[in-house]
Amino acid sequence: MIKIYHNPRCTKSRQGLAVVEASGKEFEVIKYLDTSLSTEQLNEIINILDIKPIELVRKNEAIWKSDYKGKDLTDAQIVAAMSENPKLIERPIVILDKNGVIGRPTELINELLEK
């Protein structure tokens, strides 16, 4: 089943959800701002995406700039920061089985769903 980690207030996330809905496939929406993701969940997503934790961070968020930018953080500290501050998580994230993408641009979601 498809999982989309979604922020309804984000235009790109809404566009990503529209792509998933248009696929006609069964999916689950996870509103990660309502229910924070654990470090274990984030690490699983990062492994599926095959990226470094810093690549999942929204570096223009005010909390990143004020609390984390310029600091020498370990991967574990970055994941903990995202767990504690879910606004820092890039969106939308779409997972299908053991594959996934950050849906920016939304064409990446189409490519994933065609697999």
Side-chain angles (χ1 to χ4, degrees), residues 2 22 27 48 55 72 83 87 92 101 104 110-111:
I2 301 165
F27 64 93
I48 289 171
E55 295 175 69
D72 189 20
S83 181
K87 279 185 174 183
V101 295
R104 291 172 174 261
N110 285 322
E111 292 172 16

Side-chain angles (χ1 to χ4, degrees), residues 4 6 8-9 23 30 36 48 50-51 65 86-87 104:
I4 178 167
H6 175 58
R9 293 186 294 262
S23 75
I30 298 150
S36 295
I48 289 171
D50 194 27
I51 61 174
K65 291 178 179 179
K87 279 185 174 183
R104 291 172 174 261

Side-chain angles (χ1 to χ4, degrees), residues 37-40 42-43 46 52-57 63-64 67-86 88-89:
L37 300 174
S38 69
T39 56
E40 293 81 12
L42 283 165
N43 280 318
I46 290 163
K52 296 191 179 308
I54 192 67
E55 295 175 69
L56 193 57
V57 172
I63 190 141
W64 179 261
D67 293 6
Y68 302 102
K69 186 177 179 180
K71 294 184 179 178
D72 189 20
L73 302 171
T74 65
D75 286 350
Q77 289 171 318
I78 293 168
V79 171
M82 287 187 285
S83 181
E84 293 165 17
N85 305 284
L88 292 176
I89 301 170

